[in-house]
mmCIF file of all heavy atoms in Angstrom:
data_model
loop_
_atom_site.group_PDB
_atom_site.id
_atom_site.type_symbol
_atom_site.label_atom_id
_atom_site.label_comp_id
_atom_site.label_asym_id
_atom_site.label_seq_id
_atom_site.Cartn_x
_atom_site.Cartn_y
_atom_site.Cartn_z
ATOM 1 N N GLU O 34 -0.609 -9.410 -9.245
ATOM 2 C CA GLU O 34 -1.705 -9.898 -10.093
ATOM 3 C C GLU O 34 -1.971 -11.457 -9.902
ATOM 4 O O GLU O 34 -2.964 -11.981 -10.405
ATOM 5 C CB GLU O 34 -1.380 -9.639 -11.575
ATOM 6 C CG GLU O 34 -1.128 -8.203 -11.890
ATOM 7 C CD GLU O 34 -2.332 -7.292 -11.652
ATOM 8 O OE1 GLU O 34 -3.450 -7.822 -11.706
ATOM 9 O OE2 GLU O 34 -2.137 -6.089 -11.427
ATOM 10 N N GLY O 35 -1.002 -12.160 -9.301
ATOM 11 C CA GLY O 35 -1.138 -13.584 -9.175
ATOM 12 C C GLY O 35 -2.210 -14.047 -8.132
ATOM 13 O O GLY O 35 -2.753 -13.254 -7.389
ATOM 14 N N GLN O 36 -2.368 -15.405 -8.076
ATOM 15 C CA GLN O 36 -3.270 -16.027 -7.165
ATOM 16 C C GLN O 36 -2.577 -16.611 -5.937
ATOM 17 O O GLN O 36 -3.257 -17.028 -5.013
ATOM 18 C CB GLN O 36 -4.046 -17.131 -7.854
ATOM 19 C CG GLN O 36 -4.990 -16.632 -8.931
ATOM 20 C CD GLN O 36 -5.754 -17.801 -9.545
ATOM 21 O OE1 GLN O 36 -5.201 -18.617 -10.265
ATOM 22 N NE2 GLN O 36 -7.075 -17.894 -9.237
ATOM 23 N N GLY O 37 -1.206 -16.553 -5.918
ATOM 24 C CA GLY O 37 -0.463 -17.053 -4.795
ATOM 25 C C GLY O 37 -0.376 -16.103 -3.639
ATOM 26 O O GLY O 37 -0.235 -14.924 -3.828
ATOM 27 N N TYR O 149 -7.310 -3.282 -2.306
ATOM 28 C CA TYR O 149 -7.841 -4.527 -1.850
ATOM 29 C C TYR O 149 -8.763 -5.117 -2.911
ATOM 30 O O TYR O 149 -9.980 -5.096 -2.771
ATOM 31 C CB TYR O 149 -8.510 -4.367 -0.502
ATOM 32 C CG TYR O 149 -7.506 -3.892 0.539
ATOM 33 C CD1 TYR O 149 -7.250 -2.566 0.804
ATOM 34 C CD2 TYR O 149 -6.749 -4.862 1.256
ATOM 35 C CE1 TYR O 149 -6.254 -2.188 1.748
ATOM 36 C CE2 TYR O 149 -5.762 -4.514 2.133
ATOM 37 C CZ TYR O 149 -5.524 -3.166 2.389
ATOM 38 O OH TYR O 149 -4.593 -2.804 3.307
ATOM 39 N N TYR O 150 -8.149 -5.602 -3.961
ATOM 40 C CA TYR O 150 -8.907 -6.096 -5.076
ATOM 41 C C TYR O 150 -8.883 -7.619 -5.248
ATOM 42 O O TYR O 150 -9.435 -8.214 -6.172
ATOM 43 C CB TYR O 150 -8.405 -5.452 -6.427
ATOM 44 C CG TYR O 150 -6.860 -5.564 -6.643
ATOM 45 C CD1 TYR O 150 -6.259 -6.723 -7.208
ATOM 46 C CD2 TYR O 150 -6.078 -4.539 -6.178
ATOM 47 C CE1 TYR O 150 -4.955 -6.788 -7.341
ATOM 48 C CE2 TYR O 150 -4.692 -4.602 -6.317
ATOM 49 C CZ TYR O 150 -4.116 -5.762 -6.891
ATOM 50 O OH TYR O 150 -2.782 -5.824 -7.039
ATOM 51 N N ARG O 151 -8.213 -8.247 -4.271
ATOM 52 C CA ARG O 151 -8.248 -9.758 -4.169
ATOM 53 C C ARG O 151 -8.671 -10.138 -2.825
ATOM 54 O O ARG O 151 -8.587 -9.404 -1.845
ATOM 55 C CB ARG O 151 -6.852 -10.308 -4.431
ATOM 56 C CG ARG O 151 -6.343 -10.204 -5.910
ATOM 57 C CD ARG O 151 -4.945 -10.637 -6.079
ATOM 58 N NE ARG O 151 -4.021 -9.732 -5.375
ATOM 59 C CZ ARG O 151 -2.661 -9.871 -5.449
ATOM 60 N NH1 ARG O 151 -2.156 -10.799 -6.129
ATOM 61 N NH2 ARG O 151 -1.904 -8.993 -4.827
ATOM 62 N N ARG O 152 -9.189 -11.369 -2.728
ATOM 63 C CA ARG O 152 -9.537 -11.926 -1.403
ATOM 64 C C ARG O 152 -9.018 -13.363 -1.277
ATOM 65 O O ARG O 152 -8.772 -13.999 -2.312
ATOM 66 C CB ARG O 152 -11.059 -11.970 -1.216
ATOM 67 C CG ARG O 152 -11.786 -12.864 -2.194
ATOM 68 C CD ARG O 152 -13.317 -12.764 -1.972
ATOM 69 N NE ARG O 152 -14.060 -13.651 -2.870
ATOM 70 C CZ ARG O 152 -15.354 -13.765 -2.881
ATOM 71 N NH1 ARG O 152 -16.098 -12.988 -2.083
ATOM 72 N NH2 ARG O 152 -15.991 -14.511 -3.753
ATOM 73 N N LEU O 153 -8.900 -13.791 -0.049
ATOM 74 C CA LEU O 153 -8.558 -15.198 0.183
ATOM 75 C C LEU O 153 -9.668 -16.086 -0.308
ATOM 76 O O LEU O 153 -10.870 -15.714 -0.188
ATOM 77 C CB LEU O 153 -8.277 -15.486 1.680
ATOM 78 C CG LEU O 153 -6.927 -15.066 2.199
ATOM 79 C CD1 LEU O 153 -6.884 -15.241 3.728
ATOM 80 C CD2 LEU O 153 -5.800 -15.861 1.564
ATOM 81 N N ASP O 154 -9.360 -17.232 -0.821
ATOM 82 C CA ASP O 154 -10.384 -18.160 -1.299
ATOM 83 C C ASP O 154 -11.341 -18.439 -0.172
ATOM 84 O O ASP O 154 -10.978 -18.838 0.978
ATOM 85 C CB ASP O 154 -9.725 -19.463 -1.710
ATOM 86 C CG ASP O 154 -10.706 -20.504 -2.247
ATOM 87 O OD1 ASP O 154 -11.927 -20.283 -2.114
ATOM 88 O OD2 ASP O 154 -10.221 -21.521 -2.792
ATOM 89 N N PRO O 155 -12.703 -18.104 -0.377
ATOM 90 C CA PRO O 155 -13.648 -18.260 0.724
ATOM 91 C C PRO O 155 -13.664 -19.667 1.304
ATOM 92 O O PRO O 155 -14.000 -19.843 2.469
ATOM 93 C CB PRO O 155 -14.975 -17.938 0.056
ATOM 94 C CG PRO O 155 -14.573 -17.064 -1.112
ATOM 95 C CD PRO O 155 -13.279 -17.506 -1.569
ATOM 96 N N ALA O 156 -13.268 -20.635 0.537
ATOM 97 C CA ALA O 156 -13.282 -21.996 1.041
ATOM 98 C C ALA O 156 -12.274 -22.225 2.228
ATOM 99 O O ALA O 156 -12.463 -23.049 3.012
ATOM 100 C CB ALA O 156 -12.840 -23.001 -0.047
ATOM 101 N N ARG O 167 -2.727 -20.860 -5.312
ATOM 102 C CA ARG O 167 -4.087 -20.543 -5.799
ATOM 103 C C ARG O 167 -4.925 -20.107 -4.516
ATOM 104 O O ARG O 167 -6.130 -20.426 -4.494
ATOM 105 C CB ARG O 167 -4.710 -21.692 -6.544
ATOM 106 C CG ARG O 167 -3.948 -22.098 -7.806
ATOM 107 C CD ARG O 167 -4.708 -23.103 -8.566
ATOM 108 N NE ARG O 167 -6.008 -22.641 -9.072
ATOM 109 C CZ ARG O 167 -6.181 -21.937 -10.189
ATOM 110 N NH1 ARG O 167 -5.131 -21.690 -10.951
ATOM 111 N NH2 ARG O 167 -7.320 -21.541 -10.570
ATOM 112 N N GLU O 168 -4.360 -19.414 -3.631
ATOM 113 C CA GLU O 168 -5.084 -19.016 -2.380
ATOM 114 C C GLU O 168 -5.954 -17.814 -2.582
ATOM 115 O O GLU O 168 -6.833 -17.476 -1.794
ATOM 116 C CB GLU O 168 -4.122 -18.818 -1.232
ATOM 117 C CG GLU O 168 -3.264 -19.983 -0.824
ATOM 118 C CD GLU O 168 -1.909 -20.023 -1.551
ATOM 119 O OE1 GLU O 168 -1.777 -19.236 -2.606
ATOM 120 O OE2 GLU O 168 -0.983 -20.715 -1.152
ATOM 121 N N LEU O 169 -5.587 -16.994 -3.604
ATOM 122 C CA LEU O 169 -6.233 -15.694 -3.859
ATOM 123 C C LEU O 169 -7.169 -15.752 -5.038
ATOM 124 O O LEU O 169 -6.917 -16.532 -5.973
ATOM 125 C CB LEU O 169 -5.226 -14.592 -4.028
ATOM 126 C CG LEU O 169 -4.217 -14.394 -2.895
ATOM 127 C CD1 LEU O 169 -3.252 -13.334 -3.266
ATOM 128 C CD2 LEU O 169 -4.890 -14.106 -1.574
ATOM 129 N N GLU O 170 -8.217 -14.882 -5.042
ATOM 130 C CA GLU O 170 -9.047 -14.741 -6.232
ATOM 131 C C GLU O 170 -9.366 -13.261 -6.396
ATOM 132 O O GLU O 170 -9.510 -12.525 -5.425
ATOM 133 C CB GLU O 170 -10.329 -15.572 -6.110
ATOM 134 C CG GLU O 170 -11.236 -15.216 -4.989
ATOM 135 C CD GLU O 170 -12.509 -16.072 -4.990
ATOM 136 O OE1 GLU O 170 -12.430 -17.262 -5.362
ATOM 137 O OE2 GLU O 170 -13.585 -15.613 -4.530
ATOM 138 N N MET O 171 -9.475 -12.842 -7.631
ATOM 139 C CA MET O 171 -9.798 -11.436 -7.920
ATOM 140 C C MET O 171 -11.274 -11.198 -7.594
ATOM 141 O O MET O 171 -12.147 -12.057 -7.826
ATOM 142 C CB MET O 171 -9.563 -11.159 -9.377
ATOM 143 C CG MET O 171 -8.122 -11.118 -9.793
ATOM 144 S SD MET O 171 -7.391 -9.543 -9.314
ATOM 145 C CE MET O 171 -5.773 -9.712 -10.063
ATOM 146 N N LEU O 172 -11.548 -10.012 -7.065
ATOM 147 C CA LEU O 172 -12.917 -9.630 -6.808
ATOM 148 C C LEU O 172 -13.520 -9.316 -8.231
ATOM 149 O O LEU O 172 -12.827 -8.711 -9.110
ATOM 150 C CB LEU O 172 -13.038 -8.468 -5.930
ATOM 151 C CG LEU O 172 -12.612 -8.680 -4.437
ATOM 152 C CD1 LEU O 172 -12.503 -7.349 -3.666
ATOM 153 C CD2 LEU O 172 -13.655 -9.575 -3.770
ATOM 154 N N PRO O 173 -14.821 -9.564 -8.395
ATOM 155 C CA PRO O 173 -15.468 -9.166 -9.639
ATOM 156 C C PRO O 173 -15.387 -7.633 -9.856
ATOM 157 O O PRO O 173 -15.281 -6.869 -8.887
ATOM 158 C CB PRO O 173 -16.900 -9.625 -9.463
ATOM 159 C CG PRO O 173 -16.854 -10.680 -8.416
ATOM 160 C CD PRO O 173 -15.739 -10.281 -7.548
#
Side-chain angles (χ1 to χ4, degrees):
E34 304 294 334
Q36 292 181 290
Y149 297 89
Y150 50 87
R151 288 174 294 185
R152 66 180 180 182
L153 281 172
D154 183 348
R167 299 186 64 85
E168 300 93 343
L169 304 178
E170 64 179 31
M171 289 284 185
L172 291 171

